[in-house]
Amino acid sequence: RAVVATMRRVPTTSHVVQANGLSVHYLDWGGDGPPVLLCHATGFVSAVWSCLGDTLAHRGFRPIAPDTRGHGLSDKPASDYSWYTLAEDVYCFVEALGLRQVAAVGHSAGGTSLVVCEAQHSGTLGRIVLIDPVLRLPQERLDGRSHWLAEGARRRRMVWPSREEMVRSFRERPPLASWREDLLRAYVEAGTRLLPDGRAELLCPGPIEAQVYEAGGNLDPWPDLPRVRCPVLSIRGERSETFSGAAAGKLMELVSDCRVVTIPSAGHFVPMERPVEVAELVIPFLEDRRGATSPSGV
């Protein structure tokens, strides 16, 4: 493919910075190019961006991917997982690194945090890619869905006999069964710690993940969105239940410089299911080549 010329791995370095009262861990692909912030979805870690991060690095960008509070190797406070807090974390992280109008890519809740951050702190981000963000219209909100997700997180199995056993299990059942193999393995390796007996324990505690889902049920970002002035590209999976075509249309109404692209037959985890197609949309947008072809309109 023209945009994704090579998928050769790019070494990353691991860092910690103080932001919004937390120690925030992040991966840095390095280089002197324009930085690009990569924000992951609830329950995951910065390493799930390995494919897009490598691709961006090969194209001359400097990807930087933090672990959200409560996730990965970042601090895990017992409470305060409001999505407005998550958006404030983004702002404080950008400030801590001394970045100005940085480009940013966010998946799911990571994308929602980006637009709320920019609405609250205009000019923090230079352009935003939202990949299947959690943006539901009021009439689309499912009663009890946040509670159902939270209860599932609280019951989540936290310890596995080995990382390889985790990979085998996740490969056979949704939602991770549809992920590309290398991204599934990247999540399992970076999203767990090995216990002294060799077992693997997830780094995002179930009760914390549950708090994030519960807080998401109280979020109404729509009134804030007209304050987002930077260019926005939103990529959605055609089969997504998280970001509907109607919600995408509303986003384009409220954000003055916004376009939406739908990837056919993809679901909510489109960046892990179809990473090459996602990269081929993200790269031209970050390089401001807006005439690039796209899979589909809204």
Side-chain angles (χ1 to χ4, degrees), residues 116-173:
V116 175
C117 170
E118 179 59 21
Q120 299 292 325
H121 301 282
S122 180
T124 299
L125 306 177
R127 53 184 51 226
I128 304 172
V129 179
L130 305 176
I131 305 178
D132 227 69
V134 182
L135 291 173
R136 289 191 179 92
L137 297 172
Q139 64 269 28
E140 294 175 339
R141 292 180 184 169
L142 304 178
D143 292 340
R145 180 175 176 83
S146 296
H147 175 75
W148 174 75
L149 289 170
E151 287 306 305
R154 288 193 173 94
R155 295 193 304 268
R156 191 178 316 289
R157 181 178 181 178
M158 296 298 298
V159 179
W160 298 76
S162 68
R163 285 172 172 165
E164 192 60 37
E165 179 64 27
M166 289 182 69
V167 170
R168 284 196 295 268
S169 178
F170 290 158
R171 192 192 291 129
E172 295 173 357
R173 55 191 174 90

Side-chain angles (χ1 to χ4, degrees), residues 7 38-53 65-66 68 71 105-111 131-133 170-171 173-188 213 235-237 239 263 265-279 282:
M7 294 313 300
L38 305 176
C39 296
H40 64 77
T42 303
F44 298 105
V45 287
S46 51
V48 298
W49 292 112
S50 58
C51 175
L52 182 59
T68 301
H71 295 66
V105 181
H107 173 224
S108 192
I131 305 178
D132 227 69
F170 290 158
R171 192 192 291 129
R173 55 191 174 90
L176 277 65
S178 60
W179 287 29
R180 207 172 74 175
E181 178 78 8
D182 60 322
L183 297 179
L184 175 58
R185 288 186 174 276
Y187 161 60
V188 168
Y213 290 133
I235 301 168
R236 60 180 295 270
R239 295 185 289 102
I263 295 184
S265 304
H268 177 59
F269 291 101
V270 58
M272 295 84 171
E273 297 170 351
R274 311 271 279 278
V276 172
E277 291 172 66
V278 168
V282 170

Side-chain angles (χ1 to χ4, degrees), residues 47-250:
V48 298
W49 292 112
S50 58
C51 175
L52 182 59
D54 289 349
T55 306
L56 288 169
H58 283 300
R59 297 289 294 193
F61 292 95
R62 177 195 169 192
I64 299 170
D67 289 336
T68 301
R69 72 165 55 212
H71 295 66
L73 298 178
S74 291
D75 277 351
K76 298 172 174 59
S79 59
D80 196 10
Y81 288 90
S82 159
W83 286 29
Y84 288 103
T85 299
L86 302 182
E88 192 68 16
D89 287 347
V90 172
Y91 172 72
C92 293
F93 180 77
V94 169
E95 288 289 299
L97 294 187
L99 305 177
R100 294 291 179 269
Q101 293 192 325
V102 63
V105 181
H107 173 224
S108 192
T112 310
S113 296
L114 291 177
V115 290
V116 175
C117 170
E118 179 59 21
Q120 299 292 325
H121 301 282
S122 180
T124 299
L125 306 177
R127 53 184 51 226
I128 304 172
V129 179
L130 305 176
I131 305 178
D132 227 69
V134 182
L135 291 173
R136 289 191 179 92
L137 297 172
Q139 64 269 28
E140 294 175 339
R141 292 180 184 169
L142 304 178
D143 292 340
R145 180 175 176 83
S146 296
H147 175 75
W148 174 75
L149 289 170
E151 287 306 305
R154 288 193 173 94
R155 295 193 304 268
R156 191 178 316 289
R157 181 178 181 178
M158 296 298 298
V159 179
W160 298 76
S162 68
R163 285 172 172 165
E164 192 60 37
E165 179 64 27
M166 289 182 69
V167 170
R168 284 196 295 268
S169 178
F170 290 158
R171 192 192 291 129
E172 295 173 357
R173 55 191 174 90
L176 277 65
S178 60
W179 287 29
R180 207 172 74 175
E181 178 78 8
D182 60 322
L183 297 179
L184 175 58
R185 288 186 174 276
Y187 161 60
V188 168
E189 181 173 346
T192 61
R193 68 183 183 101
L194 291 180
L195 300 175
D197 60 4
R199 292 181 300 159
E201 181 180 40
L202 286 171
L203 285 173
C204 180
I208 285 179
E209 185 178 354
Q211 288 185 62
V212 177
Y213 290 133
E214 289 170 339
N218 299 320
L219 180 72
D220 181 13
W222 297 102
D224 297 329
L225 295 185
R227 296 200 296 272
V228 175
R229 299 296 183 185
C230 66
V232 173
L233 167 67
S234 193
I235 301 168
R236 60 180 295 270
E238 182 183 34
R239 295 185 289 102
S240 173
E241 298 179 356
T242 302
F243 185 47
S244 68
K250 186 67 173 178

Side-chain angles (χ1 to χ4, degrees), residues 282-296:
V282 170
I283 298 287
F285 178 75
L286 296 183
E287 294 178 341
D288 201 20
R289 293 191 285 109
R290 296 194 173 206
T293 58
S294 58
S296 172

